[in-house]
């Protein structure tokens, strides 16, 4: 029996084309397009970049100054998660901080992280309020089962922080 190599190679090529084409077509039609449509329907935010892999979705959003983590982001994240299935979802923001907002956040982050680590969540608003009022910054805070949301606004500049409540296990443990 003689093998016809051109036919075997052609069959392999066509099979791979159908399989990969079907996979990428399904991914675009069932995951990427619905996510793009969901973001497009959300006010005050634009999709900059999206990367979808079999186990992860990474999205880069550009919010405007009227975007709210508390009222807009939570519902947007839930809608995106529905389209993403079991994939891990990471949403990043292209915000517009100025040096004052960046400096204020760098001062706040210690108290916010300490409050989260110790489970003393009332410490978070106290810390943010103390720093924000001293710098003339408007702020909004929110929290749900998974995240703490911090918005800082100063003029037409803004900074958004979404902090997970459950921190991954650290490699170095203090048993003392």
């Amino acid at each position: 029996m003689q093998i016809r190599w051109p036919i075997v190679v052609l069959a392999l090529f066509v099979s791979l084309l159908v399989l990969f084409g079907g996979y990428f077509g399904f991914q675009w039609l069932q995951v990427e397009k619905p996510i793009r449509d969901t973001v497009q329907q959300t006010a005050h935010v634009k999709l900059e970049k999206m990367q979808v892999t079999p186990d992860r979705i990474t999205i880069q959003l550009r919010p405007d100054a009227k975007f709210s983590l508390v009222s807009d982001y939570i519902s947007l994240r839930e809608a995106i998660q529905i389209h993403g299935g079991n994939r891990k979802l990471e949403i990043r923001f292209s915000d517009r901080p100025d040096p004052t907002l960046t400096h204020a956040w760098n001062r706040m982050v210690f108290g916010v992280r300490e409050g989260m680590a110790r489970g003393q969540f009332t410490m978070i608003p106290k810390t943010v309020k103390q720093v924000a009022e001293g710098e003339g910054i408007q702020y909004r805070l929110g929290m749900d089962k998974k995240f703490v949301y911090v918005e800082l606004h100063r003029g037409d500049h803004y900074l958004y922080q979404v902090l997970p409540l459950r921190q991954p296990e650290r490699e170095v443990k203090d048993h003392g």
Side-chain angles (χ1 to χ4, degrees), residues 13-114:
F13 178 74
V14 168
S15 298
L16 289 174
L17 184 68
V18 168
L19 287 173
F20 283 109
Y23 169 75
F24 288 113
F26 173 81
Q27 181 170 293
W28 180 82
L29 191 62
Q30 295 295 321
V31 179
E32 290 184 31
K33 185 177 181 324
I35 290 173
R36 287 181 192 279
D37 292 344
T38 300
V39 173
Q40 216 170 28
Q41 294 169 1
T42 304
H44 309 297
V45 70
K46 291 189 183 343
L47 179 66
E48 280 193 332
K49 218 176 358 175
M50 178 170 45
Q51 181 181 10
V52 179
T53 62
D55 63 339
R56 178 191 252 351
I57 298 173
T58 305
I59 296 175
Q60 183 81 27
L61 297 176
R62 176 163 300 279
D64 65 20
K66 295 181 182 176
F67 182 76
S68 170
L69 288 177
V70 177
S71 60
D72 299 327
Y73 174 77
I74 296 172
S75 59
L76 176 63
R77 182 179 184 82
E78 289 171 356
I80 291 172
Q81 191 66 58
I82 289 169
H83 297 302
N86 295 330
R87 292 176 175 95
K88 184 175 181 189
L89 178 60
E90 180 180 351
I91 299 177
R92 300 178 186 153
F93 289 101
S94 299
D95 41 17
R96 289 191 50 206
D98 64 1
T100 303
L101 288 177
T102 304
H103 177 71
W105 172 248
N106 289 337
R107 289 180 45 213
M108 289 175 197
V109 72
F110 295 106
V112 171
R113 292 279 186 188
E114 182 178 358

